[in-house]
Amino acid sequence: MNTPKRRNTIQKKLVLDAVQSLKNHPTAEEVYRYILMTYKNISKGTVYRNLNMLVAEDVIKKVMVVDGADRFDHTITNHNHVKCENCGKVYDISSEAGDLEEKITSQDTEFLRKSGFTVSGYKIIFTGICPNCIKKCQ
Amino acid sequence: MNTPKRRNTIQKKLVLDAVQSLKNHPTAEEVYRYILMTYKNISKGTVYRNLNMLVAEDVIKKVMVVDGADRFDHTITNHNHVKCENCGKVYDISSEAGDLEEKITSQDTEFLRKSGFTVSGYKIIFTGICPNCIKKCQ
DNA sequence: GTGCGTGCAAACCGTTTGCAATCGG
DNA sequence: CCGATTGCAAACGGTTTGCACGCAC
């Protein structure tokens, strides 16, 4: 088996705590700045390393964003995202995701399998304007 | 109106030709190297500038990829993509995209609108292993 | 004590940009 | 001839990495 021995360092805990506290899909930079407020000595490299570790361990998820820095999600359950084109914030679509899921996986992946692909998953992101920005822009 | 005066330069034509010849969603780097074969004096900056221009003019499209360099698509009609996790190539899903389209837009965007979002679009990409790589890996 | 994880800084990759020179209209 | 577009190189943002040290086990 390949279970690399992992250590429980303070830094790793701080990174996980940060992602869980900053609920809105923070970037590595945001995680870094958040930790800095309480632990002045952390390095950005360590933040990146731990974020990647936590993703590899399936503790957090990397959210696909169209452009800009990667974002991280403390929720591991399947759901999709909307990115506001105005403020850049990324929101969850907690809703009827399940229904959508089935339709996507049953339909398009079936076509792919017929073409000889092995399908392992998909990523989807919506774009639009969030309620907050709509108010402001009126 | 803001219709910036565009010029028809050799470089712009070369970039468009390259994207249309390299059908498999080339990266800017690949476009650059392709042009270099016949026109030794082009600069990478110019390739990027022209790719972005052509995207802005709706002549080509930028394909969303999970990670790695941006890719460009000579096909402007709506369709989705699969990225092979083994070789990294991006393939078209020409198929029943239309059907899927409706289901996605009707269902998830409706939920978003109820939540107060204005939805402008979405991007989806599938991941898997392509037929070629399946053969090789056996 | 062993070696994984750290801090630091340099390197990396893909992309954009400032500038003077060029060339399309 | 005007100014949009070029080539070049430097700078950019986000991320990874090499190294010596330090800390978890």
Side-chain angles (χ1 to χ4, degrees):
Chain A
M1 294 280 301
N2 49 359
T3 313
K5 307 169 194 169
R6 291 270 153 84
R7 289 189 185 172
N8 295 324
T9 63
I10 323 141
Q11 290 88 344
K12 184 170 184 180
K13 185 171 189 329
L14 286 168
V15 169
L16 179 54
D17 283 358
V19 176
Q20 284 170 344
S21 304
L22 294 164
K23 298 195 188 300
N24 278 327
H25 316 92
T27 61
E29 176 71 30
E30 284 164 354
V31 169
Y32 173 64
R33 286 206 302 265
Y34 180 86
I35 297 173
L36 266 192
M37 297 192 309
T38 61
Y39 188 87
K40 67 233 151 290
N41 206 36
I42 201 162
S43 96
K44 207 177 277 190
T46 297
V47 171
Y48 276 100
R49 274 186 287 235
N50 277 306
L51 285 171
N52 289 337
M53 265 186 162
L54 289 165
V55 169
E57 293 169 10
D58 269 314
V59 179
I60 64 177
K61 275 171 75 177
K62 200 178 270 197
V63 179
M64 181 191 60
V65 203
V66 189
D67 39 30
D70 287 347
R71 289 171 174 278
F72 297 88
D73 197 339
H74 65 109
T75 313
I76 31 108
T77 57
N78 254 5
H79 63 279
N80 302 317
H81 298 98
V82 213
K83 183 176 187 184
C84 177
E85 292 171 316
N86 187 246
C87 65
K89 275 187 189 151
V90 175
Y91 296 84
D92 289 323
I93 311 180
S94 38
S95 74
E96 303 110 284
D99 288 2
L100 180 60
E101 214 80 3
E102 280 165 35
K103 277 170 188 152
I104 290 176
T105 47
S106 66
Q107 177 150 8
D108 230 351
T109 64
E110 191 185 341
F111 171 78
L112 282 171
R113 283 200 203 90
K114 279 183 192 157
S115 317
F117 280 85
T118 302
V119 185
S120 67
Y122 70 93
K123 306 228 180 192
I124 185 168
I125 186 160
F126 290 84
T127 48
I129 310 286
C130 73
N132 281 347
C133 287
I134 291 175
K135 269 181 209 151
K136 282 176 200 158
C137 295
Q138 278 173 346
Chain B
M1 293 281 300
N2 48 359
T3 312
K5 308 171 197 168
R6 293 267 152 85
R7 289 187 185 177
N8 294 324
T9 64
I10 323 142
Q11 290 88 344
K12 185 170 183 180
K13 185 171 189 327
L14 286 168
V15 169
L16 179 53
D17 283 357
V19 176
Q20 284 170 343
S21 304
L22 294 164
K23 298 195 188 301
N24 279 326
H25 317 91
T27 61
E29 178 70 30
E30 285 163 352
V31 169
Y32 173 65
R33 286 206 303 264
Y34 181 87
I35 297 174
L36 266 193
M37 297 193 307
T38 61
Y39 188 88
K40 67 232 153 294
N41 206 36
I42 200 161
S43 95
K44 207 176 277 190
T46 298
V47 170
Y48 276 101
R49 274 186 288 233
N50 278 305
L51 284 171
N52 288 337
M53 267 186 161
L54 290 165
V55 169
E57 294 168 10
D58 269 316
V59 179
I60 63 176
K61 276 172 75 177
K62 200 178 269 195
V63 179
M64 180 193 60
V65 203
V66 187
D67 39 28
D70 288 346
R71 289 171 175 275
F72 297 89
D73 197 339
H74 65 110
T75 314
I76 32 107
T77 57
N78 254 5
H79 63 279
N80 301 317
H81 297 98
V82 213
K83 184 178 188 182
C84 176
E85 291 170 319
N86 187 246
C87 65
K89 275 190 191 151
V90 175
Y91 296 84
D92 289 324
I93 311 180
S94 38
S95 74
E96 303 110 284
D99 288 2
L100 179 61
E101 214 80 2
E102 280 164 34
K103 276 167 188 154
I104 291 176
T105 46
S106 66
Q107 176 150 10
D108 230 352
T109 63
E110 191 185 342
F111 171 79
L112 283 170
R113 284 201 202 88
K114 278 182 190 157
S115 316
F117 280 84
T118 302
V119 184
S120 67
Y122 71 93
K123 306 227 181 195
I124 185 169
I125 186 161
F126 290 84
T127 48
I129 311 286
C130 74
N132 280 348
C133 288
I134 291 174
K135 269 181 213 155
K136 282 176 202 159
C137 296
Q138 276 172 345

